[in-house]
Amino acid sequence: MPEVVLPRLGTVAAWRAEARRLAQAGVAAESVVWRMGDGEADLLASLPAETTATPMREIRLPREAVASFETALCHADPERFARAYGLLLRLAEGSLRWGDRSDAALGRLLAQEKTVRREIHKMHAFVRFRELPSEGPRRAFAAWFEPDHPVEEAAAPFFARRFGDMDWAIVTPEITTRFADGSLDFALTEGRAAPPEDGTEELWRTYYASIFNPARLMVKAMQSEMPKRYWKNLPEASLIPGLIRGAEGRAAEMQAAAPTEPPARTAAIARQRRAVSPPPTAGGVVPGNEAGNRPPASLPEAKAAADECRRCPLWSNATQVVFGEGTTAARMMVVGEQPGDREDLAGRPFVGPAGQVFDEEAEAAGLDRSMVYVTNAVKHFKFTPRGKRRIHQKPDAGEVTACRWWLDLERDLVRPKLIVAMGATALASLTGTGAGILKRRGSVERLDDGTPLFVTVHPSYILRLPDEASRVEERSRFRADLKAARELLEELE
Ligand code: URA
């Protein structure tokens, strides 16, 4: 039985080349053993004398499938290569349809894809650089990180764009990623010395303390956002036990004050971030990638780039960008208006009162929010301050148009089968006009690229109704809309 030993560096590309070669020679899934080597260039198997599968001339998979395969192959599961090869053969022969979630092997691959995306996201969020002495004109930084899955190569382009004007290295127990003079390179890690400390540590401590909101403290949730195993490499982690201990008292104080302004220190950090942000960019330029100037190629990249967006002035008062949430595996995209006060502080869409209505009614309608990509037409909170409160203001046409670049990008990356517009702003962003929403409600329109659009009202419309009876009635109409959208999606699949 041939054994394919894949190199630790360039694993995905090597698997792809070998899988194609074996499939084209008609080698059946059960006649290959796949294994990860620990070298840079392990030897690949010679073809077996006997082949049992049908030889394939050319293998064509949907773009989405290729992306899922490549991501799932960065999982640590030793079975992933064999599983992916088996799936590749079945998809190519037509005995399996891409997206058939009832298939156990495909379900496993998609679940592993999700795990890997999360791991990449964690690496993007939790790598902490420390400055190193540098003799050249570029500043030099290094970071130590211990991922649970071999995601170093997949995670690196984000850092190269973000920190394109510095030299840096990210060292993991297995791989050292280096970025020097604009070029990225990977090598097997030789030593494990942690980089020296510098003043950046204190900055991170201040930052972490300021974004920590004790009123929202849920140790379990916090640990799943920032699992304990990451703490040891985070300078700010030393603050966590103290913050947890003091949380109850501080939460009570915050509730009593009940401001809807961002905490002063958060605002100070946001101002500081703005002061060091790159100059305003007119278009959807990816900061740090001006030379290539290509649009972000994944949702985490898109979110990072949106963080620097200056396409309209709304960024300057908001605490942070609130990008869409969900994965590229989502079949349905739900579009709201803009983040509200709570969303602005949390950095996540639909977590406030409107989000609660949406969650409850979506669940009652049989929609699994984890399978839905939830976003907004406008990604920054627009408000006017009134005393300590921040009063929601509807975004104007210019802001909606400016932000459509991001919504279009999300549509491009997620490619949902169905989009649901909640409210007139979402409808205007997607179709050019939000007029006549109540007449258009419940109907299905076609977008420019043919994607069906289901129209419904915004959950805050329901919350604003003056009497309880109409709120109850509207909620049940909203639920019926979401159920109709779910059924339509099932028909489309
Ligand atoms: N309203 C919206 O439209 N979006 C949110 O994320 C929250 C409230």
Side-chain angles (χ1 to χ4, degrees), residues 366-420:
L367 268 179
D368 175 1
R369 179 157 169 181
S370 67
M371 290 314 300
V372 174
Y373 185 88
V374 179
T375 191
N376 284 300
V378 170
K379 311 283 191 252
H380 282 108
F381 178 36
K382 181 175 181 182
F383 61 92
T384 33
R386 193 171 302 154
K388 286 190 161 185
R389 297 185 66 77
R390 302 188 298 170
I391 309 298
H392 163 275
Q393 272 208 305
K394 208 171 160 57
D396 64 29
E399 289 147 0
V400 172
T401 306
C403 218
R404 195 166 53 231
W405 195 90
W406 295 108
L407 183 58
D408 287 346
L409 177 67
E410 288 173 298
R411 282 174 60 190
D412 234 32
L413 293 169
V414 178
R415 297 201 171 278
K417 288 261 183 304
L418 177 68
I419 300 183
V420 176

Side-chain angles (χ1 to χ4, degrees), residues 2 29 39 71 80 101 112 192 196 228 260 328 333 362 370 378 392 414 419 477 488:
T71 307
R80 66 197 184 280
R101 280 157 197 281
Q112 294 193 340
R192 285 188 53 137
K228 249 189 167 150
T260 63
T328 50
M333 176 178 284
S370 67
V378 170
H392 163 275
V414 178
I419 300 183
R477 288 189 66 196
L488 174 62

